[in-house]
Amino acid sequence: MARTVAQVKRRGVGDDAADLVREAIFDGRFPPGAPLREVELAQQLGVSRGSVREGLAVLAREGLIRTGWHRPTTVIGIEPEDVEEVYALREALDGLAARTAQSRIGASDVSHLLALVDRMAAETAGRGDATALVHLDIAFHDTLYTIAANQRLTRAWQAVRSQVHLFQIRRVRDGYLPYRDSVVREHRQIIRSLQGADPQAVERMAREHVAAARQSLLASLRPDTR
Amino acid sequence: MARTVAQVKRRGVGDDAADLVREAIFDGRFPPGAPLREVELAQQLGVSRGSVREGLAVLAREGLIRTGWHRPTTVIGIEPEDVEEVYALREALDGLAARTAQSRIGASDVSHLLALVDRMAAETAGRGDATALVHLDIAFHDTLYTIAANQRLTRAWQAVRSQVHLFQIRRVRDGYLPYRDSVVREHRQIIRSLQGADPQAVERMAREHVAAARQSLLASLRPDTR
DNA sequence: CCATGTCCGAATGTTGACATTCGGTCGTCG
DNA sequence: CGACGACCGAATGTCAACATTCGGACATGG
């Protein structure tokens, strides 16, 4: 399972712009529904409108923004239906990823996953930054998809990944205590199933993990009747 | 289940370019691995390079072409691993779509699906154009996703839809007799399950349909050792 | 007072020119 | 003779200007 040394990935200016805008959306500087005007972003980021367009196309692929014909692109909202859609799809995706990963997983992969969970445990114990915990959570599932090694599946995951990230941040913002307690335990269970030989067991475990996250997120969204 | 009257969809020049190039790929005018040069396409289609870029971005989203940094975009190939990847993902996607559609399906939806299958039967009986049969097959599954009404799920399907289309055309080209026999029967079975009330049954039926297609496609690809 | 039609500002869609990078070829040196 | 390195053509990445379209404000007529 030898990997290439470093493999610097050559990127365009558009990708940099996408990273900056994505970060701004996660930070709440572009709240849901906010318009992302091309000329405005172009002069703020110091690049041309063409590159901004390219970057917005990336974010559109990730489902973070919505765009239309001669209409300003806007940040997506977080309605209960959106959560239902994303997590229903994620359940199917994560289930397949876990099942596929089980048949390809190696010892180094296991230690990598365990290291991530250990860092999660450290974060929850030390009352560290909540967003760090979310990053680790996402990184765990990224690794799962990498192990599964299905390019199409990985792309499908990337198409909802940023939305999941956004949802989790929102969930963490207003009361994330239950998340904190269960996240380490559930991920450890997934690793254990991954090391077993029962495909149905891993898939069920992965799906239940997603289902639990959905439930928790919907619950934290419900009292929000402002 | 009232729909809007017509809803003309405003599109850009880039989308038109994407349609033209996609058609050309399906027709075999751009064989697997062929380079799609932007300047060349631009003057052939009579539009600017920017619009061609936009169109190629659409096809890249559909997974029909591969692109890289300062590297010509090329048509994807049809290797056995590609088939495995696409159909493994499609199994998960179609399973979810069928299960979701079951809980939302209406009488008009059923008649629409039945009409499509009837047209399939007419094509198979009359020894009509094989590509027409593929179009109907794709249209059937499009309808399923429309009924499921999960936008994220639909987008995930669209990300593999064109690849499935390409595979099916290839399969149809070199001997498609088994496909012809089973396609009508399997789709009718799916409709019947859709009208039932057992979610696991529909999902299993949809998954088996995809698995059968994968098997058949791989078989028709194997003797191809040229 | 409400409905309708027209006009206008602002944003996106489109275009062609310029800058950057890639792959290969040619030449040179060990 | 083989390997290394610089050059060069061609293709993509980036940019700023022009054309088109949208939504609303305003005026007008019923």
Side-chain angles (χ1 to χ4, degrees):
Chain A
M1 208 154 289
R3 302 260 161 79
T4 61
V5 182
Q7 187 73 342
V8 277
K9 213 179 186 179
R10 292 199 118 313
R11 295 152 32 97
V13 177
D15 296 305
D16 292 335
D19 289 343
L20 258 22
V21 174
R22 191 190 301 109
E23 198 75 20
I25 292 176
F26 286 159
D27 286 352
R29 284 169 48 199
F30 289 113
L36 298 169
R37 275 176 274 271
E38 296 179 358
V39 285
E40 193 176 315
L41 290 173
Q43 60 184 35
Q44 277 188 17
L45 301 176
V47 298
S48 95
R49 257 190 63 218
S51 298
V52 170
R53 267 174 93 75
E54 204 82 15
L56 291 180
V58 172
L59 298 182
R61 266 196 291 277
E62 298 178 3
L64 264 186
I65 60 179
R66 292 191 187 289
T67 179
W69 175 265
H70 271 291
R71 192 156 301 148
T73 67
T74 58
V75 180
I76 64 164
I78 310 187
E79 304 301 320
E81 314 106 58
D82 296 312
V83 175
E84 287 291 351
E85 285 196 9
V86 169
Y87 279 79
L89 176 56
R90 210 194 138 187
E91 228 183 281
L93 258 34
D94 263 36
L96 173 58
R99 209 179 44 195
T100 310
Q102 188 190 50
S103 65
R104 305 196 178 212
I105 201 166
S108 64
D109 297 320
V110 173
S111 56
H112 187 189
L113 288 173
L114 282 173
L116 283 172
V117 176
D118 285 342
R119 286 173 60 190
M120 285 187 204
E123 286 291 339
T124 53
R127 301 217 160 246
D129 188 9
T131 59
L133 197 55
V134 174
H135 270 100
L136 287 170
D137 192 345
I138 299 281
F140 181 93
H141 292 279
D142 281 346
T143 307
L144 229 56
Y145 282 92
T146 303
I147 297 171
N150 181 329
Q151 292 181 29
R152 274 83 174 183
L153 175 59
T154 300
R155 287 182 53 172
W157 158 239
Q158 286 171 344
V160 292
R161 195 188 102 113
S162 289
Q163 297 175 63
V164 171
H165 199 146
L166 185 61
F167 291 168
Q168 296 276 54
I169 285 180
R170 167 74 175 260
R171 178 180 163 198
V172 150
R173 284 239 170 93
D174 20 83
Y176 68 110
L177 294 171
Y179 170 61
R180 221 160 156 163
D181 292 337
S182 57
V183 64
V184 172
R185 189 184 66 248
E186 289 183 4
H187 283 126
R188 279 204 210 279
Q189 283 180 344
I190 290 176
I191 295 179
R192 197 164 307 141
S193 302
L194 237 27
Q195 293 176 288
D198 185 354
Q200 296 192 342
V202 235
E203 178 163 357
R204 198 184 62 233
M205 198 66 72
R207 296 181 81 110
E208 283 176 2
H209 173 62
V210 175
R214 183 187 61 203
Q215 290 290 340
S216 162
L217 179 56
L218 283 175
S220 81
L221 213 57
R222 198 157 311 156
D224 186 85
T225 49
R226 55 191 165 190
Chain B
M1 207 157 288
R3 301 263 163 78
T4 60
V5 182
Q7 189 71 346
V8 277
K9 209 178 186 180
R10 292 197 121 311
R11 296 152 30 96
V13 177
D15 295 303
D16 292 336
D19 289 343
L20 258 22
V21 175
R22 191 190 300 109
E23 197 76 20
I25 292 175
F26 287 160
D27 286 354
R29 284 169 49 199
F30 290 114
L36 298 170
R37 276 175 274 269
E38 296 179 358
V39 285
E40 193 176 314
L41 291 172
Q43 60 184 34
Q44 277 187 17
L45 301 175
V47 298
S48 94
R49 256 190 64 215
S51 299
V52 170
R53 265 175 93 76
E54 204 82 14
L56 291 181
V58 172
L59 298 182
R61 268 195 291 278
E62 298 178 3
L64 264 185
I65 60 178
R66 293 192 187 288
T67 180
W69 173 266
H70 271 292
R71 193 155 299 146
T73 66
T74 57
V75 180
I76 63 163
I78 310 185
E79 305 301 321
E81 314 109 56
D82 296 312
V83 175
E84 287 291 351
E85 284 196 9
V86 168
Y87 279 79
L89 176 56
R90 207 193 141 190
E91 231 182 276
L93 259 33
D94 264 36
L96 173 58
R99 209 178 45 195
T100 310
Q102 188 189 51
S103 63
R104 306 197 177 210
I105 200 164
S108 64
D109 296 321
V110 173
S111 56
H112 186 188
L113 288 173
L114 281 172
L116 282 172
V117 176
D118 285 344
R119 287 173 60 190
M120 285 185 203
E123 286 292 340
T124 53
R127 297 214 164 248
D129 188 11
T131 60
L133 198 55
V134 174
H135 270 100
L136 287 170
D137 193 345
I138 299 282
F140 181 93
H141 292 279
D142 281 345
T143 307
L144 231 55
Y145 282 93
T146 302
I147 297 170
N150 180 331
Q151 293 182 30
R152 274 83 174 185
L153 176 58
T154 301
R155 287 182 53 174
W157 159 238
Q158 286 171 345
V160 292
R161 195 188 102 115
S162 288
Q163 296 175 62
V164 171
H165 198 146
L166 185 63
F167 292 167
Q168 295 276 53
I169 285 180
R170 167 74 175 260
R171 176 180 164 198
V172 150
R173 285 239 171 92
D174 20 79
Y176 68 110
L177 295 170
Y179 170 60
R180 218 159 159 164
D181 293 337
S182 57
V183 64
V184 172
R185 188 184 68 248
E186 290 183 5
H187 282 126
R188 278 204 211 281
Q189 285 180 343
I190 290 177
I191 295 178
R192 197 165 306 141
S193 302
L194 237 26
Q195 293 175 287
D198 185 354
Q200 296 194 341
V202 238
E203 178 163 356
R204 198 185 61 231
M205 197 67 71
R207 295 180 83 110
E208 281 176 2
H209 173 62
V210 175
R214 183 187 60 200
Q215 288 291 341
S216 162
L217 180 55
L218 283 175
S220 83
L221 212 58
R222 196 155 314 156
D224 184 85
T225 48
R226 54 188 164 193

